[in-house]
Amino acid sequence: MGLSEAPGERDTQALLPTTQAMELRRRNYHVERPLLNQEQLEELGSRSSAAGTLQWRTWFRCSRARARALLLQYLPVLAWLPQYPVRDWLLGDLLSGLSVAIMQLPQGTFAIMSVMVGSVTESLAPDEAFLQASNSTVDVAARDTTRVQLASTLSVLVGLFQVGLGLVHFGFVVTYLSEPLVRAYTTAASVQVFISQLKYVFGLHLSSRSGPLSLIYTVLEVCWKLPETVIGTMVTAVVAGVVLVLVKLLNDKLRRHLPMPLPGELLTLIGATGISYGVGLQHRFEVDVVGRIPAGLVPPVAPSPQLFAKLVGNAFAIAVVGFAIAISLGKIFALRHGYRVDSNQELVALGLSNLIGGIFQCFPVSCSMSRSLVQESTGGNTQVAGAISSLFILIIIVKLGELFQDLPKAVLAAVIIVNLKGMLKQFTDICSLWKANRADLLIWLVTFLATILLNLDLGLAVAVVFSLLLVVVRTQLPRYSVLGQVPDTDIYRDVAEYSEAREVPGVKVFRSSATMYFANAELYSDTLKQKCGVDVDHLITQKKKLLRKQELKLKRLQKQNKLPKQAAASKATSISINVNTSVADIESNDVEGSKAEQVSAGTELEDIAARGQEDAKAPDMSSLKALGLPQPDFHSLILDLSSLSFVDTVCLKSLKNIFRDFREIEVEVYMAACHSPVVTQLEAGHFFDSSITKQHLFASVHDAVIFALQHPRSDPINPVLATKL
Amino acid sequence: MGLSEAPGERDTQALLPTTQAMELRRRNYHVERPLLNQEQLEELGSRSSAAGTLQWRTWFRCSRARARALLLQYLPVLAWLPQYPVRDWLLGDLLSGLSVAIMQLPQGTFAIMSVMVGSVTESLAPDEAFLQASNSTVDVAARDTTRVQLASTLSVLVGLFQVGLGLVHFGFVVTYLSEPLVRAYTTAASVQVFISQLKYVFGLHLSSRSGPLSLIYTVLEVCWKLPETVIGTMVTAVVAGVVLVLVKLLNDKLRRHLPMPLPGELLTLIGATGISYGVGLQHRFEVDVVGRIPAGLVPPVAPSPQLFAKLVGNAFAIAVVGFAIAISLGKIFALRHGYRVDSNQELVALGLSNLIGGIFQCFPVSCSMSRSLVQESTGGNTQVAGAISSLFILIIIVKLGELFQDLPKAVLAAVIIVNLKGMLKQFTDICSLWKANRADLLIWLVTFLATILLNLDLGLAVAVVFSLLLVVVRTQLPRYSVLGQVPDTDIYRDVAEYSEAREVPGVKVFRSSATMYFANAELYSDTLKQKCGVDVDHLITQKKKLLRKQELKLKRLQKQNKLPKQAAASKATSISINVNTSVADIESNDVEGSKAEQVSAGTELEDIAARGQEDAKAPDMSSLKALGLPQPDFHSLILDLSSLSFVDTVCLKSLKNIFRDFREIEVEVYMAACHSPVVTQLEAGHFFDSSITKQHLFASVHDAVIFALQHPRSDPINPVLATKL
């Protein structure tokens, strides 16, 4: 698509002439060109600010293709349903739909949503509100009607929120759900599901719990009540589980000889219902069965807008949690099958389901891990499986419900647990992440523990916040390195890592592995000064102290001895120019120069003006050598800024301070390998001025090194050093 | 320090031989070397993992110099006090100390801390607890004793927390207080101070408020009560303000002729007290004066540990807020005067003040903007000013207090407001940031508004969280660009920005301005595919569809017609190899390959094995050309990874997917310019395997481009392409 047309225009405009390309092809790595600093590079490359208006134009373009694309984007069913490969997929979808539908029967609504909705209805319509005056018992019918009304109104509100958020493209939040996070979250969720099924396997009656640590309490309660296990239930579950595992093994063995995998789950469910009915499991062995399923549909009811105000907060929380669960499940399957989830589309779809469902007195919906897993592993391929499952549920609700009355709950639990196998396998992530990426392992573990301990809603929030903070922390702990030249190349690498890389004498090359911004700018300067092997700050303090002494001595001499005017003036000039530069540097870095400094700067300037510049070429009395201070063993410092991805004011200030401080100890600073967006931001931040020009910024580290070697310390011909003062 | 010794060892070891350096110096930019991919580069540079043990050794090293440095670090007073330039600074410190001391008198404890401590004492010792049984009035004396005890115990606890946090180096949190944040915060704080002084200027009595929006309410109340202004108070304030401004102007004009600036504040305060006493401002014009100052000291009292449990939460909050205020003020002055604040040192100092103060029944302390400003602008240079101010306060408390009884509060308000001028000037930041850095402007505005609306404690929290999230968002919105060669150089720049930069025919070079991680990895792939001008996903889908059709057709032909075995086998081989590769790719990306795919992959493999590889050199039926699909107009894609600062698993997967997808459409992918830490992380993440080797990673973009041009599409001699299959 667009392959033949699109590049046509570009070819003529921005491609290298073929002859030149031919030449490139023949060469090894051979480059011969003038040294390039940013200024020269911009001239050579004809730099202009990047045009940003083209995108808008395509955005507002109208065409038939675009209309079709939009239609397919908002109604993707139109794209895939007409191409549905009936022969390949229908059978799988049908079986999968049936299996899921049978699972839905007794499981009902999704656990997390049930808990959240339940707590809302219970707090807004508590038992006490329905005490009958006559006999102080609860009016169950009135209470349940109110609660159903609350729940369905809540559904409508949740739906409204989700559709709204989807339309304003709130779905971008899923980008914060990284893969280790999602995998840990779902592993934790499958542990939760596993624990929740234990009571059906053992036939226990547990108190219902929610909130932080409820999982731990449930496990403890299960252990506590284990002696009360109903043997019949456990046996049923184990038998069903073994059958399922055997069918799966059989499928694996025979997959080449069978036209399609055996529908193990469906067969097990139907078989179990039959056996349960035939043998009378419920009466003879106290096995819990699904029981009475109410038949018929209720008529649609309008939501009660007067409840909206009460429900708005909870509805928002449920909308976000429901979406987060759905999208993280969606992302797992997308990852597994290599397709992509449009999060805004999902939000709108989920919202519409809730909106329409709410009117029919439904619960807010989300996605259930256990049922999605069953749907996937029984061969479901498309939403057709979902449609079939819904249709089947509808038939069951209306008619067939009573047929499954005898299905033991333990069999359902076995189906779920066997299908959790894949999710629980994700525990091996811990090993692979330990070897591959410790930071991601940390995300995994924090997410898992938070989700296990704090439950699904709070755990997800903690995990997302933690993973974002970890990004910040990682950019805060960069690796700093001094670079050396790999012999006979233009390549510079960390001298600590590449033992053959050699520091160029007189030139330090420094780089950070992360972008520099407010949270690590101070660390950058500190590490730079430390890695240079010179106590820069101490040296500057000493220099200033000595200069101050010298100046005082000079003044005293002038006053007392009335030295020949010429010599004194020349000395004073050179000193005060130097002091003045440093003061000006501080001031430019300063926002509102303190009074004391202004006074001294002012005095100095006046001094210079008064004394004139009769003799500018006198030996520099303010140099480190003249003052008897040790000189650093390098004359140039090159900052490799290729890792800079954006610039903030703190970064700017730090760079300026590095220039100021190193120049104070007679080291000239150059920058290299800045990316274009960073150069633009440096310009916008008024970084380049008379003392730091674009001539200090080089196209590559090698350019800067060559320039630095050509212009060693205190070279009077050096144009850059000349502009500096 | 350390200049002559430290580099000695290094010189011999890691520096370039001087002859080579000499040669470098003479050259322009001229490089001639073999092409280098990562593998060759590592060999050439003798790469080994960087040693990380050296730091620990220096950490545990014992020496006299180190002991001295540690002592000076923890007791910095030992460093500066012996060198105190008495002649230069003592006068300024003395005057400044006196001015601040006089200000302290009526202002008392710092506003925010007062509010926080007040709310604690009031909730723990409410009026109702001290109702006397006899006449139902409050026992004021008993209540105040309890409250003082609560407050002093709180001080001790706050001190303990701060010392503890300082010792565990909690002070690092200040790195999150970026400069725009601090400046906006202090601007907002100075607005708060300004508003709080209005009632003294107008002589109004306002109800005390705290919590969110209290500033707005206070402003409204001031406006409301403006008609109740006490004219005498207002006139006093205006006169004092005008005098102060005039003295400041005079100081500016005469600064060269005066030995030191006039102490305007001190003169104003003494003068105002005299006038107030002489004229009787309080009685004749209802001007509020400072009033009775209790004389004498209270004896030290041990804190009550039984209150600790009740106070622990509040004490922690107060400790953090107090520290945050102190350190952000400290950072302002450090920035202005070019020194550095050791945040842990500050924490310990603040903690010790609270700990010792608490025993003497003091309030928890923090720093006051207004008083620090006065101290700075009246010429204070060192902590000597603070000591003098404390000493003066002590004298006043014990003896001189009554002398200042007649000082009008309005004069103090005028001193504060005049000194706020500098802080309020920071509003011009908005203009400069608008031009320089919009993102920092956003931080500024959010911090300012949050602090104004939510008060100092909550506002600071909101600002810090916001600025951290903004970093995440900025890394999430990188600029992506297609790079082209700047003619006749080895430099590649954004073709949209440099109009002379030319795309090399057949080669796409792509880079992102930010590191790639979970939150922007999908955006990276999407933008890459979009910028390449090829609908990659669509093309792959079409290719797979056509291949499937072809395969089915082939099978049907084989079954029906029994074609000559040779030809059929050769065709099938080439096709199934291809399909198999893609399936394997998906699986390697997959966690737990879905059953359907496993089945098909298995079948294919068996097919290949059964049919044998009799004829491997048959024309490739699965190429895009053979299938009648359009070929992309480039044969190589180069990812410039120089902006990558760390690698997470999502980034790894995305890179692998890019390799897989582009190879599917017959484009070979290369990477270039990875930094060493990233290479290490790629290795740890098992990124390099048989299909993506270190030969795909080049030292620079230019290396990769030359290699790509030497190895265009479907070149059978290409060793890299050969290893790919």
Side-chain angles (χ1 to χ4, degrees):
Chain A
M1 234 172 100
L3 265 184
S4 39
E5 317 92 335
E9 315 152 7
R10 200 178 285 150
D11 246 338
T12 53
Q13 184 203 346
L15 283 178
L16 217 62
T18 335
T19 48
Q20 252 178 292
M22 289 286 286
E23 215 172 321
L24 264 182
R25 207 165 297 166
R26 257 179 260 118
R27 283 203 294 241
N28 222 352
Y29 192 104
H30 174 101
V31 176
E32 192 156 10
R33 60 167 170 85
L35 269 192
L36 286 178
N37 60 34
Q38 183 65 25
E39 209 171 278
Q40 293 155 336
L41 179 61
E42 284 177 13
E43 208 177 314
L44 191 66
S46 303
R47 178 174 179 236
S48 57
S49 49
T53 49
L54 277 167
Q55 285 198 341
W56 289 103
R57 214 179 290 166
T58 58
W59 187 259
F60 287 115
R61 203 164 52 189
C62 273
S63 75
R64 228 178 115 185
R66 192 166 154 71
R68 188 167 169 271
L70 269 178
L71 188 70
L72 290 186
Q73 187 192 337
Y74 284 102
L75 290 171
V77 68
L78 296 181
W80 61 263
L81 201 57
Q83 303 180 353
Y84 186 77
V86 175
R87 242 184 23 190
D88 295 351
W89 285 356
L90 188 60
L91 195 65
D93 279 344
L94 194 69
L95 286 173
S96 149
L98 288 181
S99 309
V100 175
I102 296 172
M103 277 189 71
Q104 300 275 31
L105 280 183
Q107 288 239 319
T109 53
F110 183 44
I112 307 161
M113 304 302 276
S114 320
V115 169
M116 292 184 77
V117 175
S119 70
V120 174
T121 53
E122 224 156 296
S123 68
L124 288 181
D127 277 356
E128 298 85 59
F130 299 94
L131 283 180
Q132 284 164 314
S134 53
N135 52 3
S136 77
T137 57
V138 175
D139 181 352
V140 178
R143 184 198 63 185
D144 286 355
T145 314
T146 314
R147 288 187 176 176
V148 167
Q149 197 189 21
L150 275 169
S152 64
T153 306
L154 195 63
S155 282
V156 171
L157 250 187
V158 167
L160 284 175
F161 273 124
Q162 287 174 333
V163 171
L165 291 173
L167 292 180
V168 300
H169 284 226
F170 173 79
F172 74 91
V173 288
V174 291
T175 55
Y176 296 121
L177 306 176
S178 74
E179 199 208 324
L181 189 151
V182 169
R183 288 175 66 86
Y185 183 71
T186 50
T187 310
S190 58
V191 170
Q192 295 250 19
V193 171
F194 178 79
I195 303 290
S196 73
Q197 300 299 320
L198 285 182
K199 64 175 173 184
Y200 297 115
V201 171
F202 297 111
L204 303 176
H205 292 275
L206 305 182
S207 41
S208 75
R209 297 172 191 286
S210 65
L213 295 181
S214 61
L215 190 80
I216 308 295
Y217 290 124
T218 306
V219 171
L220 289 179
E221 199 177 343
V222 168
C223 295
W224 199 250
K225 291 192 172 167
L226 220 49
E228 299 170 22
T229 300
V230 180
I231 302 296
T233 307
M234 208 180 70
V235 170
T236 312
V238 169
V239 169
V242 169
V243 168
L244 279 167
V245 171
L246 286 179
V247 172
K248 275 185 195 298
L249 286 176
L250 206 70
N251 270 334
D252 281 356
K253 284 251 173 195
L254 302 181
R255 67 181 166 199
R256 269 195 300 140
H257 306 290
L258 291 175
M260 54 157 275
L262 295 173
E265 283 80 6
L266 190 60
L267 294 178
T268 312
L269 292 179
I270 293 175
T273 312
I275 293 169
S276 169
Y277 180 76
V279 182
L281 284 181
Q282 186 181 13
H283 307 292
R284 285 172 58 186
F285 303 101
E286 292 178 35
V287 173
D288 240 10
V289 297
V290 170
R292 195 180 74 86
I293 298 163
L297 270 181
V298 290
V301 171
S304 353
Q306 67 274 20
L307 290 172
F308 278 8
K310 281 189 201 166
L311 293 169
V312 66
N314 284 302
F316 188 79
I318 293 175
V320 172
V321 170
F323 170 61
I325 294 167
I327 202 73
S328 52
L329 269 180
K331 278 190 95 179
I332 305 175
F333 290 107
L335 212 71
R336 188 176 291 180
H337 295 293
Y339 62 87
R340 186 165 292 156
V341 182
D342 177 347
S343 51
N344 295 312
Q345 175 75 23
E346 291 295 303
L347 252 179
V348 172
L350 212 55
L352 285 179
S353 306
N354 281 326
L355 200 58
I356 297 170
I359 294 168
F360 286 91
Q361 302 195 7
C362 288
F363 241 55
V365 301
S366 183
C367 298
S368 153
M369 169 104 58
S370 48
R371 274 156 271 189
S372 304
L373 275 173
V374 170
Q375 172 161 332
E376 187 210 20
S377 56
T378 51
N381 277 310
T382 63
Q383 286 95 318
V384 171
I388 289 170
S389 139
S390 311
L391 203 73
F392 196 60
I393 290 279
L394 190 70
I395 297 170
I396 291 173
I397 289 176
V398 177
K399 284 286 166 211
L400 288 176
E402 51 216 64
L403 288 187
F404 283 101
Q405 279 182 11
D406 284 308
L407 175 60
K409 285 182 180 174
V411 174
L412 285 163
V415 171
I416 292 170
I417 288 174
V418 169
N419 280 303
L420 277 180
K421 193 192 69 181
M423 299 311 292
L424 293 175
K425 253 192 201 161
Q426 292 183 151
F427 273 113
T428 54
D429 282 11
I430 298 178
C431 297
S432 55
L433 284 177
W434 171 258
K435 285 183 215 137
N437 199 316
R438 306 275 161 91
D440 279 354
L441 177 63
L442 200 62
I443 294 181
W444 201 101
L445 290 176
V446 168
T447 306
F448 181 78
L449 289 178
T451 312
I452 286 285
L453 296 178
L454 305 175
N455 278 5
L456 295 175
D457 43 358
L458 215 58
L460 187 66
V462 169
V464 168
V465 169
F466 177 80
S467 64
L468 287 183
L469 283 184
L470 198 64
V471 172
V472 173
V473 170
R474 286 180 90 163
T475 61
Q476 259 187 285
L477 300 169
R479 224 181 83 198
Y480 296 106
S481 27
V482 172
L483 305 185
Q485 189 185 26
V486 179
D488 299 319
T489 67
D490 56 340
I491 296 166
Y492 292 79
R493 284 289 181 272
D494 189 353
V495 288
E497 198 171 347
Y498 287 81
S499 57
E500 281 297 319
R502 294 272 176 267
E503 284 188 52
V504 182
V507 180
K508 282 266 168 205
V509 185
F510 183 78
R511 72 173 297 272
S512 156
S513 69
T515 189
M516 170 157 70
Y517 68 109
F518 65 84
N520 63 14
E522 209 169 302
L523 190 65
Y524 184 93
S525 315
D526 289 350
T527 317
L528 170 62
K529 287 173 184 174
Q530 185 211 317
K531 290 239 175 194
C532 280
V534 185
D535 193 341
V536 180
D537 297 323
H538 184 75
L539 203 58
I540 296 174
T541 320
Q542 278 197 315
K543 183 184 166 185
K544 287 201 172 154
K545 212 185 287 173
L546 287 172
L547 274 180
R548 205 186 299 127
K549 270 190 200 164
Q550 218 180 33
E551 204 181 357
L552 286 175
K553 215 163 86 185
L554 204 70
K555 274 190 186 169
R556 233 175 294 147
L557 275 174
Q558 259 184 301
K559 275 187 193 169
Q560 293 172 354
N561 298 2
K562 293 280 172 196
L563 273 179
K565 208 181 170 186
Q566 182 78 3
S570 84
K571 276 180 193 168
T573 308
S574 63
I575 294 166
S576 48
I577 281 177
N578 190 294
V579 173
N580 183 42
T581 311
S582 72
V583 170
D585 276 352
I586 294 169
E587 295 235 316
S588 76
N589 175 44
D590 204 339
V591 203
E592 183 205 336
S594 78
K595 205 176 292 170
E597 274 173 358
Q598 274 174 3
V599 172
S600 76
T603 327
E604 235 93 58
L605 277 169
E606 300 264 347
D607 284 353
I608 299 166
R611 286 166 191 169
Q613 284 124 340
E614 294 115 311
D615 193 354
K617 273 177 186 164
D620 192 355
M621 291 285 285
S622 66
S623 74
L624 291 175
K625 217 173 186 175
L627 291 169
L629 289 171
Q631 277 187 303
D633 63 327
F634 55 98
H635 55 76
S636 300
L637 170 70
I638 295 168
L639 306 175
D640 177 357
L641 297 184
S642 58
S643 57
L644 224 56
S645 57
F646 64 87
V647 173
D648 65 0
T649 47
V650 179
C651 167
L652 274 187
K653 288 246 161 85
S654 301
L655 282 177
K656 287 212 166 210
N657 288 348
I658 288 169
F659 268 85
R660 187 195 65 202
D661 290 349
F662 277 90
R663 283 171 172 181
E664 201 70 55
I665 61 163
E666 295 163 22
V667 171
E668 185 55 15
V669 185
Y670 305 100
M671 301 174 293
C674 256
H675 292 302
S676 310
V678 173
V679 174
T680 313
Q681 286 174 45
L682 287 174
E683 285 173 331
H686 308 295
F687 179 72
F688 298 108
D689 53 19
S690 58
S691 75
I692 306 175
T693 65
K694 279 193 183 173
Q695 291 169 10
H696 288 84
L697 175 56
F698 287 89
S700 74
V701 173
H702 195 54
D703 285 88
V705 168
I706 296 175
F707 184 86
L709 287 174
Q710 285 168 352
H711 301 81
R713 201 191 319 254
S714 58
D715 185 343
I717 319 158
N718 181 349
V720 173
L721 284 176
T723 56
K724 186 186 92 178
L725 286 173
Chain B
M1 237 172 90
L3 266 183
S4 39
E5 316 92 333
E9 315 153 5
R10 199 177 287 150
D11 246 338
T12 53
Q13 184 203 347
L15 283 178
L16 214 63
T18 335
T19 48
Q20 251 178 295
M22 289 285 287
E23 214 173 321
L24 263 182
R25 206 167 297 164
R26 254 179 264 119
R27 283 202 296 240
N28 221 351
Y29 192 103
H30 174 105
V31 176
E32 192 155 11
R33 59 167 170 83
L35 270 192
L36 286 178
N37 59 37
Q38 184 65 25
E39 209 172 278
Q40 294 157 333
L41 179 61
E42 285 177 13
E43 207 176 313
L44 190 65
S46 301
R47 178 175 180 235
S48 57
S49 49
T53 49
L54 276 168
Q55 285 199 341
W56 288 102
R57 216 178 289 167
T58 59
W59 188 258
F60 287 115
R61 204 165 49 189
C62 273
S63 76
R64 227 178 116 186
R66 195 168 151 70
R68 187 167 169 273
L70 268 179
L71 188 71
L72 290 186
Q73 189 192 333
Y74 283 104
L75 289 171
V77 69
L78 296 180
W80 62 264
L81 201 56
Q83 302 180 355
Y84 187 74
V86 176
R87 242 184 26 188
D88 294 354
W89 283 356
L90 188 61
L91 194 66
D93 278 345
L94 194 71
L95 285 173
S96 152
L98 289 182
S99 309
V100 174
I102 296 173
M103 276 190 70
Q104 299 274 32
L105 281 183
Q107 289 239 320
T109 52
F110 184 45
I112 306 161
M113 305 301 278
S114 321
V115 169
M116 292 183 78
V117 175
S119 70
V120 173
T121 54
E122 223 156 298
S123 69
L124 288 181
D127 278 356
E128 296 85 59
F130 299 95
L131 282 180
Q132 286 162 315
S134 53
N135 52 4
S136 75
T137 56
V138 174
D139 182 351
V140 178
R143 183 198 64 186
D144 285 355
T145 315
T146 314
R147 286 187 177 176
V148 166
Q149 197 190 22
L150 276 170
S152 64
T153 306
L154 195 65
S155 281
V156 172
L157 251 188
V158 168
L160 285 175
F161 274 124
Q162 286 175 333
V163 172
L165 291 174
L167 292 179
V168 300
H169 283 226
F170 173 77
F172 75 90
V173 288
V174 290
T175 55
Y176 296 121
L177 305 177
S178 73
E179 198 208 326
L181 188 151
V182 169
R183 287 175 66 84
Y185 183 70
T186 50
T187 309
S190 57
V191 170
Q192 296 250 19
V193 172
F194 178 79
I195 303 289
S196 72
Q197 300 300 319
L198 285 182
K199 63 176 173 184
Y200 298 115
V201 171
F202 296 110
L204 302 176
H205 292 274
L206 305 182
S207 41
S208 76
R209 296 171 190 287
S210 66
L213 295 182
S214 61
L215 189 81
I216 308 295
Y217 289 124
T218 307
V219 171
L220 289 179
E221 200 177 344
V222 167
C223 295
W224 199 249
K225 290 193 173 169
L226 219 48
E228 298 170 21
T229 301
V230 180
I231 302 296
T233 307
M234 208 180 70
V235 170
T236 311
V238 170
V239 169
V242 169
V243 169
L244 280 167
V245 171
L246 286 179
V247 172
K248 276 185 195 298
L249 285 177
L250 206 68
N251 271 334
D252 281 356
K253 283 254 173 192
L254 303 181
R255 66 180 166 200
R256 268 194 299 140
H257 305 290
L258 291 174
M260 53 156 278
L262 294 173
E265 283 80 6
L266 189 61
L267 294 179
T268 311
L269 292 178
I270 293 175
T273 312
I275 293 170
S276 171
Y277 181 74
V279 182
L281 285 179
Q282 187 182 14
H283 307 293
R284 285 172 58 189
F285 300 103
E286 291 178 33
V287 174
D288 241 10
V289 297
V290 170
R292 197 179 73 85
I293 298 162
L297 270 180
V298 289
V301 172
S304 348
Q306 69 274 23
L307 290 173
F308 277 8
K310 279 188 200 168
L311 292 170
V312 65
N314 283 302
F316 187 79
I318 292 175
V320 172
V321 171
F323 170 62
I325 293 167
I327 201 72
S328 52
L329 268 180
K331 278 190 94 180
I332 305 176
F333 290 107
L335 212 72
R336 188 177 292 179
H337 294 294
Y339 62 87
R340 185 167 292 156
V341 182
D342 178 349
S343 50
N344 295 313
Q345 175 73 23
E346 291 295 303
L347 252 179
V348 173
L350 212 56
L352 286 179
S353 307
N354 282 326
L355 201 58
I356 297 170
I359 295 168
F360 287 91
Q361 303 195 7
C362 288
F363 240 55
V365 302
S366 183
C367 298
S368 154
M369 168 104 56
S370 48
R371 273 157 271 188
S372 304
L373 276 173
V374 170
Q375 172 161 331
E376 187 211 17
S377 56
T378 51
N381 277 310
T382 64
Q383 287 95 319
V384 170
I388 288 171
S389 142
S390 312
L391 204 72
F392 197 61
I393 290 276
L394 190 70
I395 296 170
I396 291 173
I397 288 175
V398 177
K399 283 286 166 213
L400 287 177
E402 49 215 66
L403 287 187
F404 282 101
Q405 280 182 10
D406 283 310
L407 176 60
K409 286 182 181 172
V411 174
L412 285 163
V415 171
I416 292 170
I417 289 174
V418 169
N419 280 302
L420 277 179
K421 193 191 71 180
M423 301 309 292
L424 294 175
K425 253 193 201 161
Q426 292 183 149
F427 273 113
T428 54
D429 282 11
I430 298 178
C431 298
S432 56
L433 285 177
W434 172 259
K435 284 183 215 136
N437 199 317
R438 306 275 161 91
D440 279 354
L441 178 63
L442 201 61
I443 294 182
W444 201 102
L445 291 176
V446 168
T447 307
F448 181 79
L449 289 178
T451 312
I452 285 285
L453 296 179
L454 305 175
N455 278 5
L456 295 175
D457 45 355
L458 214 60
L460 187 66
V462 168
V464 168
V465 169
F466 178 80
S467 64
L468 287 182
L469 283 184
L470 198 64
V471 172
V472 174
V473 170
R474 286 179 91 163
T475 61
Q476 258 186 288
L477 299 170
R479 224 181 82 198
Y480 297 106
S481 26
V482 172
L483 305 185
Q485 190 186 23
V486 179
D488 299 320
T489 68
D490 56 341
I491 296 166
Y492 292 79
R493 285 289 181 273
D494 189 352
V495 289
E497 199 172 343
Y498 287 80
S499 57
E500 281 298 318
R502 293 273 176 268
E503 284 188 50
V504 181
V507 180
K508 282 267 168 203
V509 185
F510 183 77
R511 71 174 295 271
S512 156
S513 69
T515 188
M516 172 157 73
Y517 68 109
F518 66 82
N520 62 15
E522 207 170 304
L523 190 64
Y524 184 94
S525 316
D526 289 350
T527 317
L528 170 63
K529 287 174 183 172
Q530 184 211 319
K531 290 240 177 192
C532 282
V534 184
D535 192 340
V536 180
D537 298 322
H538 183 76
L539 204 57
I540 296 174
T541 320
Q542 278 198 315
K543 182 184 167 185
K544 287 202 172 151
K545 211 184 288 172
L546 286 173
L547 276 178
R548 203 186 302 129
K549 269 189 200 166
Q550 218 178 32
E551 203 182 356
L552 286 175
K553 215 162 87 184
L554 206 69
K555 274 190 186 167
R556 231 174 297 147
L557 276 175
Q558 260 184 299
K559 276 187 191 167
Q560 293 172 353
N561 298 1
K562 295 279 175 195
L563 274 177
K565 209 182 169 186
Q566 182 79 1
S570 82
K571 276 179 195 171
T573 308
S574 61
I575 294 166
S576 46
I577 282 178
N578 191 294
V579 171
N580 184 43
T581 312
S582 73
V583 170
D585 276 349
I586 293 168
E587 295 232 319
S588 75
N589 175 42
D590 203 341
V591 204
E592 178 201 344
S594 77
K595 205 175 291 173
E597 275 172 356
Q598 275 173 2
V599 173
S600 76
T603 327
E604 236 93 55
L605 278 168
E606 302 262 346
D607 283 353
I608 299 166
R611 287 167 192 167
Q613 283 124 338
E614 295 115 309
D615 193 354
K617 273 177 187 163
D620 192 355
M621 291 287 284
S622 66
S623 73
L624 291 175
K625 216 170 184 176
L627 291 170
L629 288 171
Q631 277 187 301
D633 62 328
F634 54 98
H635 53 76
S636 300
L637 170 70
I638 295 168
L639 306 175
D640 176 357
L641 298 183
S642 57
S643 56
L644 224 57
S645 57
F646 64 88
V647 173
D648 64 0
T649 46
V650 178
C651 168
L652 274 186
K653 287 246 161 87
S654 300
L655 282 177
K656 286 215 169 209
N657 287 348
I658 289 169
F659 268 85
R660 185 195 67 202
D661 289 350
F662 277 90
R663 283 171 173 181
E664 200 68 55
I665 61 162
E666 295 165 20
V667 171
E668 184 56 14
V669 185
Y670 305 100
M671 300 174 294
C674 256
H675 293 302
S676 311
V678 173
V679 175
T680 313
Q681 286 175 42
L682 286 175
E683 285 172 334
H686 308 294
F687 179 73
F688 298 108
D689 54 19
S690 59
S691 75
I692 306 175
T693 66
K694 280 194 183 174
Q695 291 170 8
H696 287 84
L697 175 57
F698 288 89
S700 74
V701 174
H702 196 53
D703 285 86
V705 169
I706 296 175
F707 184 86
L709 286 173
Q710 286 168 351
H711 301 82
R713 201 191 317 255
S714 58
D715 185 344
I717 317 157
N718 180 348
V720 174
L721 284 175
T723 55
K724 186 187 92 177
L725 283 173

